[in-house]
Amino acid sequence: MAHLIEHLSYRASDARQIRNKAILSSIGIEEDGLTDHDKVLFFEIGPADSIGTMFEAEASRLADPLGGLDDATLAVERNVVRNELRQTLETDVSGQSGRWSDELLFPPPHPYGRPVIGSHASLEAISLPDARQWASSHYRPDRTTILVTGRLAGQNAESFVTDRLPAPLCGGIVEARARRRYEPARGPVDEHPEGTPLVRHRADVLTPELWVTWRVPGFLDGKRFIADVWTTLLRDNLKVTSIADGDVNGIDCYSDFRVLGSVIGCRLKLTEASHPQATAKHFMTALAGLNNELPPKLRRAQTRLMNSEAALDETPWMNARERAVAAHFGGTVDTRDKWAAEERLVTLEEVRTFEDRYLGARRAHTMLVERQPANENSSQPVPTDVKKVVPRNEWVVPTKSALNALASVRFLTGMETTTLSNGLLLVMVPRKKAGPVTAILTFRVATEDAAASLAAETAVKSALDSLPSDLRFDMNHWFLRGMAGVSGFGSTAEVEPALQLMAAAVRDYRVEWPSAQFLAESAPRLREAEASPSGKSDRLFQSLLLGEHPFARHVSAADVAAISKPRIVDFLKRTFAPRNGVLVIVGDIEPSRVAAAAERAFSGWRSGTDFEVRPPSAAVPGQSARTPAAWPTTPGIVARAGASQAAIILGCLLPPSNASIDALYDVTASVVASELRTSLREEAGASYEVDVNARSLDGGTAYLRVDVAVGNDELPAALGALRAFWTGVGTGAWHTNSLLFQQVALVRSRLFAFEQSGDLAQRLAGAWQLRRPIATVDDYAAFVRVVRPSDVDAVLRGCADHLVVTITGDEAAIKRASLR
């Protein structure tokens, strides 16, 4: 109920149009919400001068969350949620497994044993009167915390609030006082049960999975900070190679913090699951082994957590969201600061006591998820008798727009670039009072070296594998198909030793091949990705889109396994070369000091080769990019028997890109996303989300890609809507008035992303990798601002001429829908 009402509140209306999405978007405000077992959270982010509007919008939601809704709108939004359910609990196997894990950890009558999103049956049973009654009982001032972060333009807090709250909600502020701490219902549901014997389930997994989970105290019980530390310890130190069991080929540890009980767990990927009970015992032995040299491991875990907190503090909107939740449940605005301080003060004794009390074999819940037979369909058919509704957002040109103001924000003020004596390009961006400093050393990888780069990911051993426990910097190396490098973030005071370690990592390394990690973990993971429906559809889409172009070549697990050690060594010598790299450093730094430190660290690193990575020629749109038959009559199909949803990928090659054209393509992608979300989600409820991206590759190759998941029953209508959009390109297929809104959204997203120094550093490194001038990162907003409707039309017309389409799902359902 709570989750559905969250959705419905975005379709509600108010007499003053305070919550009109188009109006909010035009002035630079982004809104979103989420629901979990404990809360419904709404948040709005926007320019400083829009803080009053944001407050009024949320106050209006609180006063009348379902205003102006009718049964037809409820039916459409219910279908949106059904598709979200299919996507998160049926198509995504990990979601289904997570639900089973909750049932195991929180048996009835505990509320956490029920999925937040509900079931098809429970959603169908909700009527509009039910929703209104629930909303009136729960959307009340005495159950609400509103956190406002920003400048109040000369007003004091009391007048700011009372001037904007609707009359029914405003009883006056008598005195400033601490909020009473939230007290959840207590009782037998709060006990921490003993572990359970192995439970078995079947799902559409490619290989079996063993889930080992523990129920630990809720985050109000004063032990969240210790659980945080333990989760980090598990992620950092539990590796496949540390588990003495050849059947384990992957491990992922996680945590989920809630009020009435939290979860720490590890998900083990297995090859055969021939002895799951024994595997669980081997895992517990590895867990006990974490106590060996625990003090330095604890210091590294706390460093990682402190750096994460610093990065969060650097991002005001994320910080505000976390503070709001902490204040709501903890009672004071500084609750989150107290929690962060407690993490830094965790002692070795507390860590070991927590393990003895809550972790270990005695309290572990184990669950085996086995592969279901291909003909076993676990999905349930559900009614989809919904009629289209008219979305409430009208793309009327606003009288006020935030585009110019947002586009004027600059991020590279004070940027300095220099070339070190060995030829390495150094880019430095000072940001006063920023959180952690981010340093990224990036190299280009030639297309013919893609397999060697993936092999190097586990073959390269360096000083980064055993960082000093007292170093307040997180560092790692990484190898991808087109890029490789070393990244780090941490304290400003530790920049010089971090640079020394970076230099050592690319100068003094050794190669172990084939590595134990590759054989035990990476190779099985690559093979699983190749065999997965999503992996197959990605490869099919790329082959249809790019044909024989080098970027269409798939690098398989077998390709990586076939790489020899001398080949990896040769690749590293050619790639780890100063003139083939860039070092980007962003944070609270003094460029002159950093440049001197970088020169000291890297001056002894020279290259014995003049190898230059040359990009492949740009792929150009043409007849070779067409599907074998006209879309969408016979799209490329990847069969997934029994799937309740079809995953559609469609796209096209675009003319070669550059920095300004990148912006045009991004605007075009945003326009396509807006139009398809309107027709597929807001009008028909046929999909939970439509994801559209324009992607540029080294050398100028660019393409547009649309991803949308649709329920089987809605697939014919969805294909019809897609067909109607693309065949109507050039004849009013999109609302040109929406262009301004898409431009504002893109510039706004850049503003929010670059609040974090790490995101800005990554964008600068990415610009260099694409051979763009570094300064164009700051020019992007200006490029977006000058895009015209005719520019978008030209891109869409070219795209419509050579679309490629793949659909993954139940083959019979796809063929029936494609022929209608």
Side-chain angles (χ1 to χ4, degrees), residues 361-634:
R362 185 169 60 90
R363 293 195 178 275
H365 300 255
T366 53
M367 176 180 72
L368 180 66
V369 182
E370 301 172 281
R371 186 172 186 178
Q372 68 184 23
N375 61 351
E376 185 177 314
N377 183 1
S378 60
S379 64
Q380 300 280 333
V382 297
T384 55
D385 53 340
V386 297
K387 297 179 180 179
K388 283 191 176 183
V389 299
V390 178
R392 66 178 178 88
N393 299 318
E394 298 291 338
W395 298 116
V396 178
V397 177
T399 57
K400 178 184 177 183
S401 167
L403 180 59
N404 291 336
L406 292 174
S408 67
V409 178
R410 312 295 286 181
F411 296 93
L412 303 185
T413 302
M415 181 179 75
E416 295 186 20
T417 62
T418 186
T419 301
L420 302 182
S421 61
N422 63 357
L424 177 67
L425 176 64
L426 174 62
V427 178
M428 299 165 289
V429 181
R431 307 184 87 182
K432 293 300 181 184
K433 298 181 180 180
V437 172
T438 298
I440 303 178
L441 177 59
T442 302
F443 303 93
R444 295 188 181 105
V445 172
T447 53
E448 62 270 21
D449 286 330
S453 181
L454 296 182
E457 175 69 24
T458 60
V460 170
K461 307 299 177 185
S462 71
L464 303 186
D465 295 315
S466 54
L467 293 174
S469 63
D470 58 349
L471 179 72
R472 291 178 294 166
F473 231 84
D474 288 319
M475 305 185 71
N476 65 289
H477 66 241
W478 45 272
F479 294 87
L480 307 174
R481 286 191 52 169
M483 300 173 68
V486 177
S487 297
F489 73 103
S491 169
T492 299
E494 303 275 10
V495 169
E496 181 151 9
L499 293 177
Q500 296 284 351
L501 283 167
M502 272 190 169
V506 296
R507 182 186 62 229
D508 305 319
Y509 54 83
R510 66 185 188 280
V511 174
E512 297 179 2
W513 189 255
S515 67
Q517 184 181 354
F518 175 78
L519 295 174
E521 185 172 1
S522 300
R525 187 180 67 242
L526 287 171
R527 287 193 292 268
E528 182 178 6
E530 291 167 17
S532 69
S534 60
K536 291 177 180 177
S537 71
D538 280 341
R539 293 198 302 277
L540 178 58
F541 174 75
Q542 293 289 338
S543 66
L544 293 172
L545 184 76
L546 296 168
E548 298 301 318
H549 192 275
F551 283 134
R553 295 173 190 160
H554 169 65
V555 179
S556 67
D559 294 332
V560 179
I563 294 292
S564 66
K565 181 176 179 179
R567 178 75 173 81
I568 298 173
V569 171
D570 176 66
F571 156 73
L572 293 169
K573 286 182 178 178
R574 289 183 289 106
T575 303
F576 281 178
R579 297 184 186 279
N580 185 46
V582 64
L583 174 59
V584 178
I585 304 176
V586 180
D588 191 357
I589 58 172
E590 293 185 23
S592 59
R593 291 188 177 183
V594 169
E599 181 64 39
R600 288 191 292 271
F602 290 95
S603 60
W605 172 47
R606 304 285 169 171
S607 174
T609 176
D610 292 326
F611 176 73
E612 179 181 358
V613 174
R614 298 182 180 276
S617 299
V620 179
Q623 291 294 325
S624 62
R626 288 183 181 272
T627 49
W631 179 83
T633 305
T634 54

Side-chain angles (χ1 to χ4, degrees), residues 559-744:
D559 294 332
V560 179
I563 294 292
S564 66
K565 181 176 179 179
R567 178 75 173 81
I568 298 173
V569 171
D570 176 66
F571 156 73
L572 293 169
K573 286 182 178 178
R574 289 183 289 106
T575 303
F576 281 178
R579 297 184 186 279
N580 185 46
V582 64
L583 174 59
V584 178
I585 304 176
V586 180
D588 191 357
I589 58 172
E590 293 185 23
S592 59
R593 291 188 177 183
V594 169
E599 181 64 39
R600 288 191 292 271
F602 290 95
S603 60
W605 172 47
R606 304 285 169 171
S607 174
T609 176
D610 292 326
F611 176 73
E612 179 181 358
V613 174
R614 298 182 180 276
S617 299
V620 179
Q623 291 294 325
S624 62
R626 288 183 181 272
T627 49
W631 179 83
T633 305
T634 54
I637 296 176
V638 175
R640 184 175 183 177
S644 62
Q645 275 188 321
I648 303 170
I649 305 176
L650 66 91
C652 63
L653 270 176
L654 300 170
S657 66
N658 57 36
S660 61
I661 293 176
D662 283 346
L664 167 60
Y665 290 164
D666 285 344
V667 172
T668 302
S670 188
V671 165
V672 173
S674 174
E675 295 297 320
L676 295 182
R677 283 174 188 145
T678 297
S679 60
L680 295 177
R681 173 173 173 152
E682 295 184 21
E683 292 181 351
S687 177
Y688 171 55
E689 186 56 283
V690 179
D691 187 36
V692 186
N693 289 285
R695 303 183 183 182
S696 295
L697 306 175
D698 190 14
T701 295
Y703 63 91
L704 186 80
R705 172 168 167 158
V706 179
D707 288 83
V708 57
V710 178
N712 290 344
D713 292 337
E714 298 109 337
L715 186 55
L719 290 177
L722 291 169
R723 181 191 298 112
F725 175 78
W726 289 105
T727 57
V729 163
T731 58
W734 64 285
H735 297 82
T736 55
N737 284 352
S738 76
L739 177 61
L740 175 63
F741 299 91
Q742 313 315 323
Q743 290 168 311
V744 170

Side-chain angles (χ1 to χ4, degrees), residues 186-414:
R186 299 286 176 177
V189 296
D190 292 320
E191 296 175 357
H192 303 284
E194 297 291 319
T196 55
L198 182 70
V199 175
R200 296 174 182 261
H201 290 283
R202 287 181 172 181
D204 187 20
V205 292
L206 291 169
T207 60
E209 298 177 0
L210 182 67
W211 291 57
V212 182
T213 54
W214 297 270
R215 180 170 153 192
V216 301
F219 65 71
L220 294 182
D221 287 350
K223 296 182 175 62
R224 168 181 173 153
F225 49 97
I226 307 178
D228 256 342
V229 170
W230 257 109
T231 304
T232 305
L233 284 168
L234 294 173
R235 288 172 176 161
D236 287 352
N237 298 285
L238 274 184
K239 308 296 182 184
V240 168
T241 51
S242 64
I243 302 172
D245 193 315
D247 198 36
V248 179
N249 61 62
I251 181 171
D252 175 39
C253 296
Y254 65 94
S255 57
D256 184 2
F257 295 111
R258 308 172 189 173
V259 173
L260 299 178
S262 299
V263 177
I264 294 178
C266 292
R267 177 185 178 191
L268 282 66
K269 294 274 191 175
L270 308 181
T271 302
E272 297 178 349
S274 56
H275 50 276
Q277 288 94 342
T279 299
K281 291 181 180 179
H282 296 150
F283 169 79
M284 293 302 171
T285 300
L287 174 62
L290 290 186
N291 282 291
N292 297 328
E293 300 182 1
L294 185 57
K297 294 173 184 175
L298 174 59
R299 287 193 293 271
R300 287 305 310 161
Q302 289 174 306
T303 293
R304 192 178 298 277
L305 287 169
M306 286 192 314
N307 286 336
S308 297
E309 285 291 330
L312 185 66
D313 288 340
E314 192 179 24
T315 313
W317 72 270
M318 292 178 63
N319 187 318
R321 195 172 77 173
E322 294 296 313
R323 284 184 181 277
V325 173
H328 183 75
F329 292 108
T332 61
V333 176
D334 63 351
T335 297
R336 182 182 168 276
D337 294 330
K338 294 177 180 177
W339 288 348
E342 287 167 342
E343 282 177 345
R344 293 191 289 270
L345 298 175
V346 171
T347 66
L348 190 64
E349 181 182 358
E350 288 176 314
V351 170
R352 285 178 168 150
T353 299
F354 186 92
E355 179 190 17
D356 292 340
R357 176 68 179 85
Y358 301 109
L359 305 181
R362 185 169 60 90
R363 293 195 178 275
H365 300 255
T366 53
M367 176 180 72
L368 180 66
V369 182
E370 301 172 281
R371 186 172 186 178
Q372 68 184 23
N375 61 351
E376 185 177 314
N377 183 1
S378 60
S379 64
Q380 300 280 333
V382 297
T384 55
D385 53 340
V386 297
K387 297 179 180 179
K388 283 191 176 183
V389 299
V390 178
R392 66 178 178 88
N393 299 318
E394 298 291 338
W395 298 116
V396 178
V397 177
T399 57
K400 178 184 177 183
S401 167
L403 180 59
N404 291 336
L406 292 174
S408 67
V409 178
R410 312 295 286 181
F411 296 93
L412 303 185
T413 302

